[in-house]
Amino acid sequence: MRDITKTFGTTVANNKVNLDIYKGEILSLLGENGSGKTTLMNMLSGIYYPDEGEISIYGKPAAIHSPKEAFDYGIGMIHQHFKLVDVFTAAENIVLGLKEEGKLDLEKASMKIREICDAYGFDIDPKQKIYNMSVSQKQTVEIVKVLYRGADILILDEPTAVLTPQETEKLFAVLRNMKTAGKTVVIITHKLHEVLAISDRVAVLRKGEFIGDMITAETNEQEMTNMMVGRQVSLNIDRPEPVNPKARIRVEGLTVRSQDGILKLDDVSFTANSGEILGIAGISGCGQKELLEAIAGLQPVETGTISYIDDDGQSEELIGKDPLQIAAMGVALSFVPEDRLGMGLVANMDLTDNMMLRSFRKGRSMFTDRKTPKKLAEQVVDELEVNTPSTATPVRKLSGGNVQKVLVGREIASAPTVLLSAYAVRGLDINSSYTIYDLLNQQKQKGVAVVYVGEDLDVLMELSDRILVLCGGKVSGVVDGRTADKNQIGMMMTKLGGGSDNE
């Protein structure tokens, strides 16, 4: 790729980027949020067309106007959000949209799929329906779909965001097999330990510009971070000792079903203490979301109790109270949903108005108070380094990472006694993530009971004082964050190993 430039309105996503990708290598494309990694690869896979610059493949100029044309050049991209039809089988999804001579022969297709699986070490049943699959199986279908179409260059966008450590290892083993077979793999990521584990070479983008590339074996996490951020960044997550921990939330025998009757939480019991961070580990969809929503009053509970214990040791039942009453007691739910704009913020409102969503009921008169939320918006923009022209900018115009800072900053600013934080750093780059870990630690030191649900197990183990492991809606155990072993937690998440049963 030579001098590739792409703009959206006044935003320059990529500016004169030069990038070489070699045959038979695994290249990591690294950069902060909004640095233009996905945009650059979307131009290689035919989703966008560059405004300037040229792409050549094996030395010949290539014009790629659509994903279909990209496949003709042997390029396939596996996106963060899978594009699969739930009610179809794996095989049906893989051949979907392909023009073949005569009648579609699913048996023949299944045989070819099995050959691909055997060649690279995939584990997938062509006849299994998508809705019965785990996240990693769906991802496998997406990869096989691209290989079935004959791709030699595979681009994976944040492929490990929702995988357990064991699933990540499995994926990496498959990618190494592909490399051995002469395929080229590009991974878009911002997880540095994965870059070191899997790639041969790493290329860094910063603010839409190409900063440089290195042989992975000749660099380290610190050097890569400094290139990504443009300055020295400390890579240690602090874990201050808990301050005078006392029981703040006690959950006993909690059972929750979804609207369609599926058991989401099964007899869950634990205690969250003030002045500590309780991490919650589990595979995506194993009940973390329902647990936090039940505490915040957003999720109907079938059986069990959730007690809030105040500073004097007085206990009060939260079940039966509405979310407003629970929030008034100091329980703040900073839930960063998968759909940040749909659930957490109003896209067309500006930053100040989004702050007001939290506080407008506190108005004494018929007029809402606009000064305080504006001050709060300015404070959040300043402290969390939100990249925005002003607090009057509509939230929908901000990048995903900046939207998230607004969401988390708003909840923390409500001065809670319990902070329920889910996916606070989902999709955030390393620099922004550390700002948020720091904020959570500040809350802990103020005596707030912080319950943290996160996708990155390494972070969970560095940040949490205790870790509650969920598997299929049940508690597998509670482990000490300081002494826990990553593989042990991975096994507990998938029910293979038991943990301690102490509270």
Side-chain angles (χ1 to χ4, degrees), residues 304-315:
T305 60
I306 302 172
S307 318
Y308 175 85
I309 300 150
D310 65 19
D311 290 334
D312 305 327
Q314 298 295 315
S315 170

Side-chain angles (χ1 to χ4, degrees), residues 469 471 476-477 487-500:
V469 187
C471 173
S476 293
N487 281 330
Q488 175 204 4
I489 294 178
M491 301 283 258
M492 287 164 72
M493 282 161 71
T494 48
K495 224 16 174 202
L496 296 171
S500 62

Side-chain angles (χ1 to χ4, degrees), residues 395-413:
V395 167
R396 69 185 151 78
K397 292 197 170 163
L398 304 183
S399 82
N402 287 310
V403 167
Q404 201 148 322
K405 293 179 187 175
V406 174
L407 248 176
V408 177
R410 182 183 72 187
E411 299 306 320
I412 289 177

Side-chain angles (χ1 to χ4, degrees), residues 28-190:
S28 284
L29 193 55
L30 196 59
E32 290 190 273
N33 297 108
S35 61
K37 310 182 292 291
T38 305
T39 305
L40 187 66
M41 289 300 112
N42 276 339
M43 287 186 274
L44 201 52
S45 65
I47 288 175
Y48 297 146
Y49 194 75
D51 300 339
E52 291 170 30
E54 66 166 19
I55 298 172
S56 23
I57 297 167
Y58 297 123
K60 296 191 182 92
I64 306 171
H65 296 90
S66 70
K68 190 181 175 309
E69 284 184 16
F71 275 120
D72 295 341
Y73 286 109
I75 300 169
M77 184 159 171
I78 293 94
H79 297 272
Q80 239 173 317
H81 304 290
F82 307 139
K83 294 167 169 47
L84 297 168
V85 181
D86 259 6
V87 294
F88 282 9
T89 62
E92 286 166 342
N93 268 285
I94 288 165
V95 298
L96 194 63
L98 284 178
K99 286 187 172 62
E100 294 196 4
E101 291 299 308
K103 197 166 147 283
L104 171 65
D105 185 347
L106 268 180
E107 269 312 305
K108 199 169 126 197
S110 294
M111 271 173 62
K112 187 174 164 190
I113 290 165
R114 286 198 179 92
E115 279 167 22
I116 292 172
C117 291
D118 292 345
Y120 300 110
F122 286 115
D123 179 17
I124 183 178
D125 173 8
K127 292 191 168 69
Q128 191 178 351
K129 298 269 198 225
I130 300 296
Y131 59 74
N132 283 329
M133 290 189 176
S134 69
V135 177
S136 74
Q137 286 172 309
K138 289 179 187 173
Q139 187 181 55
T140 305
V141 174
E142 286 282 19
I143 297 173
V144 174
K145 192 163 96 178
V146 166
L147 290 170
Y148 190 93
R149 284 159 169 71
D152 288 317
I153 302 169
L154 285 89
I155 304 163
L156 292 93
D157 192 357
E158 303 268 353
T160 61
V162 285
L163 302 184
T164 65
Q166 284 86 348
E167 288 169 338
T168 300
E169 256 322 301
K170 233 159 123 185
L171 172 70
F172 284 1
V174 168
L175 296 182
R176 289 186 189 105
N177 292 342
M178 288 185 185
K179 180 177 101 171
T180 310
K183 303 274 185 202
T184 303
V185 181
V186 181
I187 294 187
I188 301 174
T189 182
H190 43 231

Side-chain angles (χ1 to χ4, degrees), residues 330-349:
V331 178
L333 173 63
S334 156
F335 183 71
V336 176
E338 281 151 345
D339 176 7
R340 302 180 185 118
L341 292 176
M343 256 177 86
L345 299 165
V346 180
N348 284 333
M349 281 162 62

Side-chain angles (χ1 to χ4, degrees), residues 229-251:
V229 180
R231 58 185 161 80
Q232 194 78 13
V233 176
S234 159
L235 284 181
N236 288 325
I237 299 178
D238 287 335
R239 178 164 35 197
E241 286 296 323
V243 192
N244 186 16
K246 289 196 190 89
R248 178 70 75 199
I249 293 274
R250 184 168 284 127
V251 174

Side-chain angles (χ1 to χ4, degrees), residues 364-420:
R364 293 278 177 277
S365 69
M366 59 185 275
F367 298 106
T368 48
D369 165 21
R370 291 190 68 87
K371 271 193 195 144
T372 319
K374 186 168 194 296
K375 244 167 89 178
L376 175 58
E378 283 162 359
Q379 186 188 334
V380 169
V381 165
D382 189 43
E383 279 184 25
L384 296 186
E385 298 175 2
V386 176
N387 194 350
T388 174
S390 80
T391 56
T393 305
V395 167
R396 69 185 151 78
K397 292 197 170 163
L398 304 183
S399 82
N402 287 310
V403 167
Q404 201 148 322
K405 293 179 187 175
V406 174
L407 248 176
V408 177
R410 182 183 72 187
E411 299 306 320
I412 289 177
S414 67
T417 52
V418 178
L419 179 62
L420 307 170

